[in-house]
Amino acid sequence: MNIDDFIRESIRKNEEELKKLMMRKKQDRISELLQKSGLGKRFQKKTFENFQITDANRAAFYQAKEFCANFPNTKRGLLITGPVGTGKTHLASAVTNDLIGRLYTVICRNITDIISLIKSTYGQKTELEEWEIVDILTTEVDLLVIDDLGKERASENTNTLLYQIINRLYNDERPIVVTTNFTSVTLAEKLGERGQSIVSRLTEMCEPVRTCGEDWRLKS
Ligand SMILES: Nc1ncnc2c1ncn2[C@@H]1O[C@H](COP(=O)(O)OP(=O)(O)O)[C@@H](O)[C@H]1O
Ligand SMILES: [Mg+2]
């Protein structure tokens, strides 16, 4: 091998090594983001690819896809509503997985768990103040996905924090993704004193996304 060939070959090998290293670094970062996301193992596997499109969910599927395609240049989030088992959490997880694959920080869980998650991942040494939790969720996290809003009986403290978080995102024109089984009237009732304010902001901030059809869990 002459010297030119030798140099060329060395450069090629170096580039290959570098590419592998970058891929590995990206994979490591994705694993880390997934771990911090709050997505359970089951929903880490739910993607747009394994979401089956039917007449009852076609519009919802494309709305969620478009949201991802436009991210982060989108002010409007998604308010995904529909009966149990119609793919709301699947779609919310697909959004989360898609964005994490592009190295965005996304958190997807119910609101009580989200707050606990932030306390344990960001405040290991000291107890976080409430304003710090709001700050992390509205600035350090690229997208907040609240699953099953109104379902768990959240404390009044959690509902107050929820209001602060949503209000901040609203003021900053940043998107949020929410799933819920409830109509806006019932949801407002479930979210305590500030329920009405929370729901009216969410309605303005988000595009309504509706999943219908049968419960997928009951399909054989
Ligand atoms: N369109 C779909 N294609 C494939 N699987 C689906 C679809 N919709 C729902 N599922 C599956 O059915 C189960 C229930 O869906 P899920 O998203 O948890 O419902 P919801 O949050 O609306 O109650 C999950 O395992 C989900 O992956
Ligand atoms: Mg769900």
Side-chain angles (χ1 to χ4, degrees), residues 47-144:
T47 61
F48 289 118
E49 284 71 35
N50 57 32
F51 187 88
Q52 291 176 45
I53 301 171
T54 66
D55 287 343
N57 64 31
R58 180 173 286 106
F61 174 84
Y62 285 109
Q63 281 173 291
K65 269 217 112 165
E66 197 179 331
F67 172 82
C68 285
N70 292 333
F71 195 86
N73 301 315
T74 171
K75 292 180 190 170
R76 276 206 113 192
L78 307 170
L79 178 57
I80 308 174
T81 60
V84 172
T86 52
K88 298 182 297 299
T89 305
H90 189 135
L91 278 182
S93 307
V95 168
T96 305
N97 284 315
D98 181 285
L99 297 184
I100 285 179
R102 286 157 56 197
L103 303 182
Y104 288 108
T105 308
V106 186
I107 291 202
C108 176
R109 200 80 189 220
N110 74 47
I111 188 62
T112 307
D113 288 353
I114 287 173
I115 292 168
S116 308
L117 193 73
I118 294 297
K119 284 182 181 164
S120 63
T121 41
Y122 290 80
Q124 285 137 330
K125 294 193 189 85
T126 53
E127 175 109 353
L128 290 177
E129 303 278 341
E130 292 200 341
W131 67 266
E132 289 175 300
I133 297 174
V134 176
D135 229 40
I136 290 165
L137 283 170
T138 55
T139 55
E140 288 189 34
V141 171
D142 296 310
L143 180 70
L144 179 60

Side-chain angles (χ1 to χ4, degrees), residues 14-212:
N14 267 339
E15 280 173 350
E16 245 169 48
E17 281 305 309
L18 193 63
K19 234 187 240 169
K20 272 190 210 154
L21 188 70
M22 300 277 277
M23 287 291 282
R24 220 174 303 139
K25 285 254 168 254
K26 186 176 173 190
Q27 272 315 320
D28 288 350
R29 180 72 182 134
I30 289 174
S31 303
E32 189 190 338
L33 287 170
L34 269 176
Q35 216 181 339
K36 283 179 152 187
S37 73
L39 259 195
K41 216 170 164 197
R42 169 184 298 275
F43 284 97
Q44 287 183 18
K45 294 180 220 140
K46 306 292 180 183
T47 61
F48 289 118
E49 284 71 35
N50 57 32
F51 187 88
Q52 291 176 45
I53 301 171
T54 66
D55 287 343
N57 64 31
R58 180 173 286 106
F61 174 84
Y62 285 109
Q63 281 173 291
K65 269 217 112 165
E66 197 179 331
F67 172 82
C68 285
N70 292 333
F71 195 86
N73 301 315
T74 171
K75 292 180 190 170
R76 276 206 113 192
L78 307 170
L79 178 57
I80 308 174
T81 60
V84 172
T86 52
K88 298 182 297 299
T89 305
H90 189 135
L91 278 182
S93 307
V95 168
T96 305
N97 284 315
D98 181 285
L99 297 184
I100 285 179
R102 286 157 56 197
L103 303 182
Y104 288 108
T105 308
V106 186
I107 291 202
C108 176
R109 200 80 189 220
N110 74 47
I111 188 62
T112 307
D113 288 353
I114 287 173
I115 292 168
S116 308
L117 193 73
I118 294 297
K119 284 182 181 164
S120 63
T121 41
Y122 290 80
Q124 285 137 330
K125 294 193 189 85
T126 53
E127 175 109 353
L128 290 177
E129 303 278 341
E130 292 200 341
W131 67 266
E132 289 175 300
I133 297 174
V134 176
D135 229 40
I136 290 165
L137 283 170
T138 55
T139 55
E140 288 189 34
V141 171
D142 296 310
L143 180 70
L144 179 60
V145 180
I146 305 180
D147 191 36
D148 256 333
L149 190 61
K151 190 180 177 195
E152 91 267 38
R153 209 178 303 148
S155 66
E156 198 50 45
N157 206 27
T158 299
N159 284 336
T160 307
L161 258 180
L162 173 69
Y163 171 76
Q164 289 171 9
I165 292 159
I166 288 174
N167 195 41
R168 173 81 75 85
L169 293 173
Y170 177 78
N171 288 337
D172 294 348
E173 295 193 322
R174 294 191 53 191
I176 184 168
V177 173
V178 172
T179 81
T180 183
N181 288 331
F182 299 111
T183 61
S184 44
V185 175
T186 318
L187 187 59
E189 282 166 10
K190 300 231 172 233
L191 297 177
E193 232 175 87
R194 296 254 169 85
Q196 191 60 55
S197 315
I198 293 171
V199 173
S200 78
R201 276 169 182 68
L202 282 179
T203 311
E204 198 181 329
M205 291 161 86
C206 299
E207 195 179 322
V209 176
R210 180 90 190 146
T211 58
C212 318

